[in-house]
Amino acid sequence: MTRNEAASDTLVIGGGVVGAALAWGLARAGERVTVLDDGDIVLRASRGNFGLVWVQSKGAKMFDYARWTRRSADLWPEFAATIGAETGLDLAYEKPGGIHFMLSETELEAARARNFAMKDVTGPDDYGAEIVDRHELDKIFPGLGPDVIGGSYGHHDGHVNPLKLLRGLHLAMEARGVRYVSNARVEHVSKDGAGFTAETAKGRFSAAKVVLAAGHGTTELAPALGLDMPLRPEKGQILVTERCATRLLPMPTHVLRQTDEGTVLIGDSHENTGYSTASYTPVLTDIARHALRCFPALAALKVVRSWGCVRVLSPDGCPVYHASETCPGAFAIACHSGVTLAAAHAMELADVIASGSFGDRFAAFHPRRFSHAQAH
């Protein structure tokens, strides 16, 4: 195994949206950063997600997560503009708000109760979700199906092209001098004197700090650094229509999103199938059927492709941020909402990691909460 002598302040393991956002943020903070990334054959949620920057319903069972999500949504306009200015790439980010359609009184009452419970969570900042009736929805979405009885409108919701986001982050990393090493699967990471060493097929890399941000790959690497990252896979499938020259959807919904290229993404399956990314017709049929109940005009569009992607979820679905106590300088970051939290990761979490310690700031995201839950 050869030793790579290029000096770095921090190794970031994982080059998806989470790792790339942190790497760019660390470089922005003045650090020398090396990103060690696996090949594109890995389970890369960054290339298979829906592209929502979503606030409503996030953190209903963990208010710190709700506040952190809202903080990221507030940072997104500046974040997108900064990445665009540094790379010349438009991320196709928009913040028109978002709608969660309700097809039954039970769903509507549950949403109303959730919005009421969440209205004061963000303190002086408005949670920004309100119930809208069918009459109001018809003004926003002409052509809704008869089964839609109302919805929840989130003022702070938006969407982005996730492929352009990932590309933009990598271009921005390069512009700031981040060293990106592809096809460098990390086989082992360890404490090495005052720093850390990661062993890969492309050599051995060392730095003063290390950040594990490799999605499901983080779970295997974490124990060697005194880190605990309990993660579980969940598959989601997506249908994609042909491009439509007209704007059918003025804003994203929780199951439908029209992209900047004109296609419509249709999704929202939640499947316990392990690490499988296979697409199955019965699930896709259910997805399509639900979409047509919401917006029958989609029946005129051809479906051109579909895919399955594996989400990165903790036991409670909320982020896990862990700073090692036995190996100071080692961090592990994992979350399902990598796109929504990209701005906060890049513009705030990276600065905290650069300082070398979380302190008490992210105590709510510590994995000890899972052992506490089991104890009770």
Side-chain angles (χ1 to χ4, degrees), residues 9-354:
D9 296 305
T10 302
L11 295 176
V12 176
I13 299 176
V17 165
V18 174
L22 290 170
W24 176 75
L26 287 164
R28 190 166 175 259
E31 294 216 342
R32 297 166 299 174
V33 183
T34 295
V35 175
L36 303 176
D37 197 17
D38 212 329
D40 276 343
I41 61 172
V42 297
L43 298 171
R44 196 181 288 284
S46 301
R47 294 196 174 181
N49 69 83
F50 208 57
L52 295 177
V53 179
W54 208 249
V55 175
Q56 63 170 311
S57 76
K58 295 285 183 68
K61 296 182 180 179
M62 181 191 283
F63 292 165
D64 288 274
Y65 180 28
R67 288 185 279 267
W68 186 229
T69 299
R70 172 61 197 281
R71 176 58 180 159
S72 194
D74 289 347
L75 287 170
W76 248 100
E78 178 187 355
F79 169 63
T82 303
I83 294 294
E86 292 190 5
T87 65
L89 181 65
D90 181 0
L91 304 186
Y93 168 69
E94 296 179 341
K95 193 176 184 178
I99 291 283
H100 189 127
F101 292 131
M102 306 299 167
L103 304 182
S104 71
E105 288 292 344
T106 300
E107 290 181 350
L108 194 61
E109 286 306 310
R112 182 177 285 110
R114 181 181 64 235
N115 289 351
F116 180 80
M118 298 289 285
K119 66 184 180 65
D120 295 325
V121 166
T122 52
D125 295 324
D126 178 30
Y127 173 60
E130 61 181 288
I131 298 300
V132 290
D133 61 22
R134 175 58 192 251
H135 178 69
E136 291 298 317
L137 278 181
D138 282 333
K139 297 177 183 178
I140 305 171
F141 290 91
L144 283 179
D147 291 343
V148 178
I149 65 172
S152 176
Y153 172 67
H155 294 262
H156 306 298
D157 296 331
H159 58 154
V160 68
N161 185 316
L163 299 182
K164 291 180 179 178
L165 170 60
L166 184 60
R167 176 62 175 159
L169 283 169
H170 276 253
L171 289 174
M173 286 194 310
E174 181 180 4
R176 287 191 174 269
V178 173
R179 185 182 185 197
Y180 173 74
V181 187
S182 62
N183 298 311
R185 179 181 180 82
V186 175
E187 302 295 341
H188 183 68
V189 60
S190 60
K191 183 73 173 173
D192 182 16
F196 300 89
T197 293
E199 297 179 2
T200 79
K202 289 194 172 181
R204 183 175 298 159
F205 297 81
S206 298
K209 296 192 297 297
V210 62
V211 180
L212 306 184
H216 287 290
T218 299
T219 302
E220 182 179 348
L221 296 172
L225 300 177
L227 295 164
D228 181 22
M229 296 298 284
L231 302 175
R232 61 183 175 89
E234 180 187 84
K235 184 169 70 179
Q237 295 188 57
I238 292 175
L239 289 166
V240 187
T241 73
E242 63 183 322
R243 296 183 182 186
C244 181
T246 60
R247 188 74 168 182
L248 295 176
L249 303 172
M251 65 181 65
T253 82
H254 73 297
V255 293
L256 301 170
R257 183 177 86 80
Q258 190 164 15
T259 72
D260 56 303
E261 297 165 340
T263 61
V264 177
L265 303 187
I266 307 170
D268 201 36
S269 73
H270 300 269
E271 305 165 56
N272 183 18
T273 56
Y275 296 101
S276 168
T277 59
S279 290
Y280 294 106
T281 302
V283 175
L284 295 175
T285 299
D286 289 341
I287 291 172
R289 185 178 293 118
H290 183 270
L292 290 173
R293 288 181 67 193
C294 295
F295 204 71
L298 294 174
L301 299 178
K302 296 178 181 178
V303 171
V304 295
R305 63 183 179 275
S306 68
W307 68 75
C309 182
V310 177
R311 298 181 178 98
V312 178
L313 289 173
S314 68
D316 61 8
C318 300
V320 182
Y321 299 167
H322 195 184
S324 178
E325 297 178 5
T326 58
C327 299
F331 302 84
I333 308 296
C335 67
H336 161 52
S337 301
V339 172
T340 297
L341 294 179
H345 285 167
M347 305 186 80
E348 290 199 358
L349 178 58
D351 289 339
V352 176
I353 291 174

